[in-house]
Amino acid sequence: FVMNSVEVPLDLIRLSIDERIYVKCRGDRELRGKLHAFDQHLNMILGEVEEVVTTSEIDEETDEQIVKSAKRSIEMLFVRGDVVVLVSPPLRTA
């Protein structure tokens, strides 16, 4: 039995403990941070988080779409699992 094997989907996240991961959330919110803990519902504790929130609106005069993104840094964050759309482990180069 190899500890680094992925047998169930949550194993991929388990292997990313203490590593920086990317989390895409509902509401055009993206998080990058160090994964400290998670549970079977994908509730997560992230540290050293960079949050990017993307908003878009239509300019009423020109009908052009205006896309804005706001960034902020958060020392420690609890992410509720039901807002999680995608979790990407760190890129590993062989």
Side-chain angles (χ1 to χ4, degrees):
F1 179 75
V2 180
M3 281 303 291
N4 283 349
S5 66
V6 175
E7 294 179 16
V8 297
L10 287 177
D11 285 348
L12 190 64
I13 297 170
R14 179 179 50 80
L15 293 174
S16 302
I17 287 282
D18 289 332
E19 300 208 44
R20 287 190 69 78
I21 61 168
Y22 167 78
V23 181
K24 185 167 177 60
C25 300
R26 293 196 303 211
D28 292 323
R29 190 175 298 259
E30 299 175 36
L31 306 168
R32 283 181 174 79
K34 188 174 185 181
L35 179 64
H36 289 289
F38 73 97
D39 66 13
Q40 73 271 21
H41 304 291
L42 282 186
N43 295 318
M44 288 180 257
I45 303 291
L46 297 178
E48 302 159 34
V49 182
E50 180 187 79
E51 177 191 52
V52 178
V53 180
T54 305
T55 56
S56 66
E57 51 190 59
I58 303 295
D59 186 313
E60 293 181 14
E61 293 177 13
T62 63
D63 275 346
E64 289 182 31
Q65 184 176 12
I66 301 166
V67 178
K68 297 177 184 172
S69 64
K71 284 186 181 180
R72 67 176 177 157
S73 294
I74 305 162
E75 193 174 322
M76 193 68 77
L77 186 67
F78 174 88
V79 181
R80 199 175 137 113
D82 64 357
V83 304
V84 174
V85 174
L86 177 145
V87 176
S88 177
L91 291 174
R92 291 188 175 84
T93 51

